[in-house]
Amino acid sequence: MDLQYNKNEDQNLLLLSEVRQKLDKIRLGGGKKNIEKQHEKGKLTARERISYLLDKEKPSFELGAFAGYEMYEEQGGCPAGGVIVMMGYVSGHQCIVVANDATVKAGAWFPITAKKNLRAQEIAMENRIAIIYLVDSAGVFLPMQDEIFPDKEHFGRIFRNNALMSSMGINQIAAVMGSCVAGGAYLPIMSDEAMIVDKTGSIFLAGPFLVKAAIGEDVDQESLGGATTHSEVSGVTDYKCKNDEECLDRIRSIMAKIGEHEKAGFNRTASSPPKHNEKEIYGLLPTDSGKQYDTHELIERLVDDSAYDEYKAGYGKSIVCSYARIDGWAVGIVANQRKVVKNKKGEMQFGGVIYSDSADKATRFIMNCNQKKIPLVFMQDVTGFMVGSKSEQGGIIKDGAKMVNAVANSVVPKITIIVGNSYGAGNYAMCGKAYDPRIIVGWPTAKIAVMGGSQAANTLLQIQVSSLKAKGEKITPEDEKKLLDEIMHRYAKQTSPYYAAARLWIDAIIDPLETRKVISMTIEAANHAPITRAFNVGVIQT
């Protein structure tokens, strides 16, 4: 191994260590004292509940762990958005589990909490897999109610989704394991089946204090909305459980009896590990987004037997398109090539840039995968489309539009892995968040922005300098440097994977070695949802 390989490996492992350290802190939720308070009440924490519920021998994948990261510092923080979302298996059935974390502001809903819950429901709806809610929440975080309550993609959308999923035949099971108040009370009752834990679970539209203030009635919490009231008097819940463990066992028993549904029919054979060592990814991938590497070498460490059939290998070389298998699943891979290559005319093509020929190739490949019912995996490391008079005259906008059209209209599942850069229209063409990937994740090396840092910073600098000069201010070279440094620092923070994951632009920051698992679990989930519409790109310029 050469010096650059060792340097890459050290830097990637350092980035990965940073991710893990941040996750360790996030997974403490509201802190050890609040965890102890949960235990003193006889309750498991949200993460303990999920751990108890999920099949131990099966893989799982946490979504949105970085939700809310560094976003609510003035309010004391909101680790993981105050709710844990996990894709896993219960009694052999793949599902989504959503658990309120009562150690974080008593499980109150922040704006990002609502967004994360809606994302969990979206995944369940797209893939027609069961969703399980473990409810323990004090309701909307009132100081921010205007950012949570009234809009289309706010709190109320969750109950609308409950109703839609029920009509679609998607199983929903709710367990009230703590507070369930106000509008939030509709969630378990709009699920197919609901259960409640005695003495710790409670459901009511208004708590004892509000009832007293509203109508003058004195009533205790248990009589108003405890387990006995709702299991024996109101009939709101279907099962009464003595503790968290019994409640979770009941969910496992219900899930064990769910029948099989029609499958989409994606092709799968026996899984084989890559022949090349997956850990070599750390040494092959530079952390410097401007350095070259050969995308083929990453693909060889992700696909079964390190084998793939490259489509149009000699044409449009700045994108690599290949048929392969990942954990036995047939996939079509569309990956940006970071290595500088020559096109068919012998002209040099910059790494990470999409040219007309590569956009044309990718469009055809995407259409082929839709025709063959093969899920698509996009590996993003893209700085955008090629610019300049030659490219414009060659129709780069038209060819880029074709690719965006094919991605937008694809009917097969799309999975996006952001390996490195994800800039500008390249983000769109390579199936960014706006193009409905079933799952979108980033490696620790991911960077997401409208353009590269130095380009953006210098553009912003010129705007600021011009504005200051227009006001009659004198700008020295030292002032310019200080401004540039400030802009670069701010922009670098906004392009980091943590910034993206905090806002759920990506579902997770993952270890590259988890990529195969994430892709496999996503396709397995998607296989629960038969394709119901034909692939059609509509009007497309030729």
Side-chain angles (χ1 to χ4, degrees):
M1 298 299 177
D2 61 19
L3 185 62
Q4 187 59 52
Y5 179 97
N6 292 332
K7 186 178 179 181
N8 291 344
E9 184 177 46
D10 288 345
Q11 290 172 335
N12 275 302
L13 290 174
L14 194 63
L15 287 176
L16 190 57
S17 174
E18 184 183 350
V19 172
R20 288 171 176 162
Q21 286 173 30
K22 291 180 190 297
L23 283 174
D24 285 343
K25 188 175 179 181
I26 286 168
R27 285 170 181 156
L28 286 173
K32 291 181 180 179
K33 285 186 179 180
N34 286 330
I35 291 172
E36 287 167 8
K37 286 179 183 177
Q38 285 282 97
H39 291 160
E40 286 166 8
K41 294 175 184 176
K43 296 162 68 175
L44 300 174
T45 66
R47 291 188 180 277
E48 289 168 344
R49 287 166 178 166
I50 292 175
S51 178
Y52 186 98
L53 180 64
L54 293 180
D55 296 347
K56 303 296 182 291
E57 72 281 3
K58 291 273 197 175
S60 61
F61 167 47
E62 183 173 357
L63 297 128
F66 281 99
Y69 178 73
E70 293 186 339
M71 283 177 64
Y72 303 105
E73 300 301 309
E74 289 183 10
Q75 291 80 18
C78 186
V83 63
I84 316 304
V85 175
M86 197 80 71
M87 181 186 284
Y89 301 80
V90 174
S91 298
H93 293 276
Q94 194 173 16
C95 60
I96 294 288
V97 182
V98 180
N100 299 114
D101 187 351
T103 70
V104 179
K105 296 285 192 298
W109 288 60
F110 283 67
I112 199 67
T113 316
K115 188 173 182 179
K116 187 170 173 179
N117 274 268
L118 289 171
R119 176 61 176 145
Q121 289 183 321
E122 179 183 39
I123 292 168
M125 291 168 79
E126 282 183 327
N127 299 294
R128 293 180 176 266
I129 58 174
I131 185 165
I132 297 166
Y133 309 99
L134 306 181
V135 184
D136 193 347
S137 170
V140 166
F141 184 64
L142 287 176
M144 303 186 77
Q145 66 85 26
D146 61 320
E147 298 179 48
I148 306 163
F149 173 71
D151 210 344
K152 181 179 178 180
E153 298 294 335
H154 282 179
F155 193 63
R157 189 80 170 181
I158 289 157
F159 316 128
R160 173 262 194 191
N161 288 349
N162 287 144
L164 284 185
M165 281 191 278
S166 185
S167 72
M168 293 166 69
I170 297 168
N171 296 108
Q172 297 178 85
I173 299 171
V176 179
M177 310 180 82
S179 297
C180 183
V181 300
Y186 288 106
L187 186 145
I189 314 314
M190 294 188 75
S191 299
D192 301 328
E193 293 183 87
M195 57 203 71
I196 187 169
V197 179
D198 195 21
K199 301 296 186 287
T200 56
S202 59
I203 310 171
F204 34 66
L205 293 178
F209 294 113
L210 188 53
V211 168
K212 175 69 174 174
I215 62 172
E217 180 185 358
D218 285 307
V219 62
D220 65 83
Q221 184 161 305
E222 276 298 307
S223 300
L224 183 64
T228 300
T229 294
H230 286 310
S231 297
E232 300 175 18
V233 181
S234 72
V236 164
T237 54
D238 306 308
Y239 308 95
K240 178 181 174 182
C241 307
K242 66 181 181 183
N243 55 34
D244 281 10
E245 288 84 356
E246 183 181 290
C247 186
L248 296 166
D249 287 338
R250 175 77 66 181
I251 295 172
R252 290 187 58 81
S253 179
I254 291 169
M255 287 290 290
K257 298 171 181 66
I258 291 175
E260 289 294 329
H261 293 279
E262 183 186 355
K263 296 284 193 280
F266 302 123
N267 185 280
R268 192 180 196 184
T269 59
S271 175
S272 300
K275 284 185 178 176
H276 293 294
N277 189 346
E278 290 176 73
K279 291 182 179 178
E280 290 174 358
I281 289 173
Y282 300 136
L284 294 167
L285 180 67
T287 56
D288 182 340
S289 59
K291 288 192 173 176
Q292 294 184 50
Y293 63 89
D294 190 348
T295 298
H296 295 93
E297 294 186 326
L298 297 189
I299 293 171
E300 287 166 0
R301 284 151 184 85
L302 292 173
V303 302
D304 291 10
D305 293 320
S306 299
Y308 56 94
D309 301 308
E310 186 170 357
Y311 176 79
K312 292 184 183 287
Y315 176 71
K317 292 182 180 180
S318 73
I319 288 183
V320 176
C321 298
S322 301
Y323 298 109
R325 290 191 182 275
I326 291 178
D327 196 25
W329 294 104
V331 296
I333 298 172
V334 181
N336 300 112
Q337 174 60 284
R338 283 292 305 173
K339 184 179 176 184
V340 174
V341 293
K342 286 184 180 179
N343 66 12
K344 60 184 178 179
K345 297 175 183 176
E347 299 166 332
M348 300 305 292
Q349 293 189 338
F350 298 106
V353 178
I354 301 176
Y355 290 77
S356 285
D357 54 357
S358 49
D360 174 59
K361 176 174 80 171
T363 302
R364 287 287 301 275
F365 182 73
I366 291 164
M367 294 169 76
N368 281 344
C369 286
N370 276 274
Q371 183 88 342
K372 296 177 173 124
K373 205 158 76 169
I374 298 174
L376 285 159
V377 175
F378 292 86
M379 293 176 61
Q380 286 199 15
D381 194 345
V382 57
T383 53
F385 285 85
M386 191 58 190
V387 296
S389 60
K390 187 175 179 182
S391 292
E392 297 293 358
Q393 291 164 15
I396 186 67
I397 295 175
K398 182 174 66 176
D399 290 318
K402 290 179 190 175
M403 186 175 173
V404 169
N405 193 319
V407 172
N409 283 297
S410 286
V411 296
V412 295
K414 298 169 288 191
I415 302 155
T416 303
I417 316 295
I418 302 180
V419 172
N421 300 322
S422 179
Y423 294 156
N427 169 281
Y428 301 158
M430 291 295 293
C431 197
K433 178 73 171 178
Y435 291 80
D436 298 321
R438 296 294 174 100
I439 293 291
I440 177 169
V441 296
W443 288 359
T445 42
K447 292 182 178 70
I448 304 170
V450 71
M451 64 176 73
S454 59
Q455 297 165 287
N458 279 295
T459 303
L460 289 167
L461 176 66
Q462 294 311 310
I463 293 169
Q464 285 197 27
V465 167
S466 297
S467 176
L468 290 168
K469 284 181 177 177
K471 292 174 184 177
E473 295 186 33
K474 211 171 192 181
I475 306 298
T476 67
E478 291 75 20
D479 292 332
E480 281 200 27
K481 185 182 183 308
K482 187 180 177 184
L483 271 174
L484 182 61
D485 289 344
E486 288 173 0
I487 293 166
M488 284 289 287
H489 176 74
R490 185 172 66 249
Y491 202 81
K493 183 178 180 181
Q494 291 177 355
T495 59
S496 81
Y498 300 110
Y499 195 89
R503 288 152 183 80
L504 295 175
W505 301 344
I506 58 176
D507 293 310
I509 303 170
I510 66 166
D511 181 343
L513 303 190
E514 290 184 288
T515 306
R516 280 172 55 85
K517 177 187 80 172
V518 169
I519 292 170
S520 178
M521 287 185 71
T522 303
I523 298 174
E524 184 177 351
N527 202 36
H528 290 82
I531 296 170
T532 56
R533 67 181 179 90
F535 175 65
N536 186 344
V537 294
V539 175
I540 189 166
Q541 288 195 4
T542 57

